[in-house]
Amino acid sequence: MKKVLEGSMAISDSIRMTEPKVISAYPITPQTHIVEHLSQMVADGDLKAEYVMVESEHSAASVVLGASACGVRTYTATAAQGLLYMEEVIYNIAGMRLPVVLTVANRAVSAPISIWNDMQDSMALRDSGAIQLVAENNQEAYDMHIQAYKIAENPEVMLPVMVCVDGFVLTHTFEVVETIDHIEKVREYLPPLNMKYTLDINNPFSFGTVGEPSVYLETRFRLSNAINNSKSIIVDAANDYKEMFGKYEGALIDTYKMDDADTVIVAMGSVLGTIKDVVDELREAGKKIGVLKIRAFRPFPADEIVNALKNIKNAIVIEKAVSLGKGGILSCEIRDALYQRRINSVNVNGYVMGLGGRDITPKNIYDLIIKAEKEEDVDGEFFGLNNELLNKVF
Amino acid sequence: MKEVRIHGRGGQGSVTMASILALSFFDDGKYCQAFPSFGSERTGAPVQAFARVSDSPIRTRHQIYDPDYVVVQDVTLITSVPVAKGLKDSGKLIINTETDLKEIIKNFGDNKINESSVILFPALKIAMKILGKPIVNTTLLGAFSAITGEVSIDSVKKEIEARFGSKLGKINADAAQAAYDYIKGEKIGF
């Protein structure tokens, strides 16, 4: 049914449909509404789950780790400093191969303190072994959480999935979302969790014990294979979802008006909406331009990206994150993927924009396109700076 | 697509107003979007909320700089916040005030504005009479419906009632209706 929902409400409703048994979270802006709604659902009896109150994000992640190891479906959500505080536990969840799903309401990291949106928080966990999917709008956020469990719980995967949703820009925006009317359909798409190894007093196993030098390399190799091989499972999850619910927002990547394009803007998350509107206007004016959406950031869909970009001239990468001391993250990985395959005809320029909630306007995007097409090998240049402010002392 | 910018102070229900507006647009069969200005919410501090309405799905996410409509909940904001900034020539600026238009216009400084674009509306007076409280968001929603014709008063009242529950919802819907009637020239009782 089509409804007008706040992003957080859409996400919590989608989680309700997946019927997790244990939810644990510590409130942090802009994630708060999501877990408030879930807590209300549990209190009202609309969701039969245990909602565990904790004193920190580290504990929240630890609760879902423990519960997941017992073989039940679990959920948590966080943002920014909260995610950084969870980081240690998330590496453990991945290493123990537990199918936890968590929402990251993407927010800038301190200092300075910023409650506003960018993707520096989830990028800090890119090497953790957690799958990272990024939603473009609230419909996709709704659909993606259901797909996330399908991917995480696949016996070949068994990994945490982070669903990245732009804080405020999506979590606090009301828009039209089509929800699933019948929970039975979700149960059909997402059968009950059935883990091969669980914490069971009648059949004891240990999780996360010491991996001596004689075995550690192999366990990490298998973890690495599991996340790399999850690409096909992510694609299947998207296709099966389309078949059952009629919604498809891409799988690993998605292309928009790229057929004949000379220039392509590459981005992740909610900024894609504004970019697509700009691209429509430029197309009407006769410019051959398209958009490449990265929907799965981990595993990194290198083959799919190269395949999509190999015949174009300019790739303009817009990212709301930066690797301090290096430059662009997404742009660097795209350039690496092209280099590995010996494709040197694509001019990749990467720009850092919108950090800490700085609004990205259509004019910013027009201005960037004009500038980027004249440049080469830009690696994470900050775009949209207020030069007046830079001349002042901080 | 039409864009609405709401100026208020923390605690006046600007974000609530934007979301009720979005829900009402949807009830009228349109696509909609509503979002706050994402600030740290503090009582009394200037806040903004935004709403968009369109016949087709809305993708863009940037804040609203060239609104078709601006609603100002608290007239004292006009001395410190450029409420008229970017307003389209064909746009409307709706201000809750009983002050004289000439006095109001003086405050816009660089943001030149056509006098006919400004609509002064005594939302506080109506709200005090019906709600007994200086909360003007629902009253302004009724006025918005009457002034702009972008949303039906029935949808606005329905969503106000859905939002505030039976008792509070009913009197707030009455306030919206009274504002609507006031604008439509039936200033009975005011």
Side-chain angles (χ1 to χ4, degrees):
Chain A
M1 195 167 98
K2 277 188 183 170
K3 299 175 190 166
V4 177
L5 291 176
E6 189 196 39
S8 300
M9 224 183 288
I11 292 164
S12 52
D13 196 55
S14 144
I15 294 302
R16 179 178 66 80
M17 298 299 265
T18 67
E19 302 177 284
K21 291 285 178 285
V22 174
I23 299 168
S24 186
Y26 187 77
I28 180 168
T29 301
Q31 152 266 36
T32 321
H33 290 184
I34 302 171
V35 295
E36 277 175 0
H37 289 307
L38 284 166
S39 152
Q40 188 72 52
M41 286 174 192
V42 172
D44 292 346
D46 295 333
L47 173 60
K48 288 185 177 48
E50 191 168 344
Y51 189 100
V52 185
M53 300 277 277
V54 285
E55 79 293 351
S56 75
E57 287 85 359
H58 190 280
S59 302
S62 299
V63 166
V64 293
L65 180 155
S68 182
C70 291
V72 299
R73 191 169 287 161
T74 57
Y75 175 77
T76 187
T78 190
Q81 307 310 116
L83 183 65
L84 300 186
Y85 196 22
M86 272 189 184
E87 179 166 18
E88 182 212 348
V89 187
I90 290 174
Y91 269 77
N92 270 291
I93 292 171
M96 292 185 209
R97 309 288 302 274
L98 299 171
V100 170
V101 169
L102 70 147
T103 307
V104 176
N106 282 106
R107 162 181 161 179
V109 292
S110 306
I113 295 171
S114 167
I115 59 166
W116 294 273
N117 165 247
D118 68 36
M119 289 189 70
Q120 293 182 88
D121 53 357
S122 56
M123 282 293 164
L125 269 83
R126 66 177 184 169
D127 302 333
S128 64
I131 290 170
Q132 289 195 15
L133 307 177
V134 190
E136 177 182 342
N137 53 45
N138 287 334
Q139 180 68 56
E140 185 167 26
Y142 181 92
D143 301 330
M144 194 176 261
H145 280 86
I146 297 170
Q147 293 175 30
Y149 281 103
K150 180 97 168 166
I151 297 158
E153 295 173 3
N154 185 298
E156 301 298 313
V157 180
M158 294 301 288
L159 287 172
V161 177
M162 283 168 52
V163 180
C164 301
V165 182
D166 281 325
F168 287 116
V169 184
L170 294 181
T171 58
H172 287 53
T173 290
F174 286 77
E175 61 187 18
V176 181
V177 176
E178 190 167 4
T179 60
I180 298 166
D181 294 331
H182 302 290
I183 202 162
E184 293 75 21
K185 296 286 279 180
V186 179
R187 288 180 186 145
E188 199 183 321
Y189 175 79
L190 184 67
L193 174 60
N194 185 11
M195 281 164 55
K196 199 170 170 188
Y197 304 105
T198 58
L199 286 179
D200 177 357
I201 51 167
N202 298 314
N203 185 22
F205 278 97
S206 289
F207 282 69
T209 53
V210 175
E212 290 185 2
S214 57
V215 299
Y216 186 89
L217 187 65
E218 285 74 16
T219 57
R220 296 309 271 186
F221 173 72
R222 288 175 74 164
L223 177 58
S224 170
N225 276 352
I227 189 162
N228 285 331
N229 295 338
S230 70
K231 284 178 201 168
S232 65
I233 313 288
I234 294 168
V235 173
D236 290 348
N239 289 333
D240 292 353
Y241 195 89
K242 183 185 182 185
E243 200 167 301
M244 188 159 282
F245 304 108
K247 288 270 186 292
Y248 183 82
E249 296 105 353
L252 296 164
I253 59 166
D254 199 31
T255 57
Y256 181 77
K257 302 200 171 176
M258 274 182 64
D259 291 348
D260 80 335
D262 296 327
T263 294
V264 167
I265 303 179
V266 189
M268 299 192 276
S270 64
V271 69
L272 283 158
T274 309
I275 293 172
K276 285 176 181 175
D277 273 10
V278 170
V279 162
D280 278 5
E281 281 187 29
L282 289 170
R283 275 273 171 190
E284 268 176 44
K287 188 166 177 59
K288 290 180 176 174
I289 186 163
V291 185
L292 177 64
K293 158 178 169 172
I294 309 299
R295 189 168 179 269
F297 178 64
R298 284 292 180 274
F300 190 69
D303 286 326
E304 290 75 9
I305 291 172
V306 168
N307 205 31
L309 295 181
K310 64 186 179 200
N311 295 321
I312 64 137
K313 281 205 299 223
N314 294 299
I316 305 170
V317 184
I318 294 180
E319 53 188 320
K320 292 188 191 172
V322 59
S323 173
L324 298 171
K326 168 61 184 79
I329 302 173
L330 183 59
S331 57
C332 171
E333 297 193 354
I334 290 172
R335 205 176 276 125
D336 168 67
L338 291 162
Y339 177 80
Q340 256 191 350
R341 289 155 187 80
R342 299 294 180 264
I343 293 165
N344 56 16
S345 54
V346 188
N347 177 27
V348 180
N349 289 317
Y351 302 89
V352 175
M353 290 173 76
L355 296 190
R358 181 69 59 90
D359 201 22
I360 298 178
T361 65
K363 185 175 185 303
N364 292 150
I365 297 165
Y366 284 119
D367 291 348
L368 179 68
I369 294 166
I370 290 165
K371 176 179 144 72
E373 284 185 339
K374 291 183 211 140
E375 296 185 320
E376 282 184 5
D377 300 322
V378 176
D379 178 23
E381 180 183 302
F382 282 59
F383 184 76
L385 294 169
N386 177 350
N387 289 317
E388 226 172 273
L389 202 58
L390 289 175
N391 294 331
K392 290 182 182 165
V393 178
F394 278 87
Chain B
M1 185 162 66
K2 294 286 173 67
E3 297 182 317
V4 187
R5 190 170 70 208
I6 298 164
H7 293 274
R9 292 190 183 276
Q12 284 191 310
S14 301
V15 178
T16 303
M17 185 176 169
S19 68
I20 291 174
L21 198 52
L23 286 152
S24 308
F25 287 142
F26 179 70
D27 292 341
D28 285 350
K30 305 283 180 67
Y31 284 91
C32 62
Q33 187 189 65
F35 56 102
S37 62
F38 315 143
S40 313
E41 283 159 24
R42 295 149 310 195
T43 304
V47 297
Q48 291 179 49
F50 308 96
R52 290 190 168 99
V53 58
S54 173
D55 292 326
S56 52
I58 299 166
R59 290 187 303 204
T60 200
R61 304 259 167 215
H62 63 281
Q63 295 182 19
I64 293 170
Y65 302 98
D66 311 302
D68 295 276
Y69 304 105
V70 172
V71 180
V72 181
Q73 296 217 63
D74 182 342
V75 70
T76 66
L77 286 167
I78 66 172
T79 57
S80 56
V81 178
V83 296
K85 198 172 180 183
L87 182 71
K88 288 200 177 80
D89 289 342
S90 58
K92 293 270 182 270
L93 170 63
I94 303 166
I95 305 176
N96 163 33
T97 184
E98 291 177 64
T99 316
D100 183 67
L101 182 63
K102 290 214 159 41
E103 288 300 309
I104 296 288
I105 293 272
K106 281 183 199 164
N107 290 286
F108 294 139
D110 293 343
N111 298 300
K112 288 201 172 51
I113 185 155
N114 192 342
E115 280 190 24
S116 63
S117 301
V118 184
I119 295 175
L120 305 180
F121 171 70
L124 180 64
K125 193 173 167 187
I126 296 175
M128 286 307 287
K129 180 149 180 143
I130 296 179
L131 305 173
K133 284 192 177 120
I135 296 290
V136 294
N137 59 351
T138 48
T139 308
L140 282 166
L141 279 167
F144 182 87
S145 168
I147 292 163
T148 70
E150 297 287 351
V151 64
S152 72
I153 186 67
D154 290 344
S155 295
V156 166
K157 284 164 68 184
K158 181 188 152 201
E159 292 302 339
I160 288 173
E161 287 181 22
R163 182 59 166 261
F164 297 109
S166 54
K167 193 169 165 231
L168 207 54
K170 175 74 174 64
I171 56 166
N172 276 283
D174 288 348
Q177 183 69 56
Y180 183 90
D181 294 342
Y182 179 94
I183 298 289
K184 291 288 181 190
E186 297 159 30
K187 303 184 187 184
I188 306 146
F190 299 100

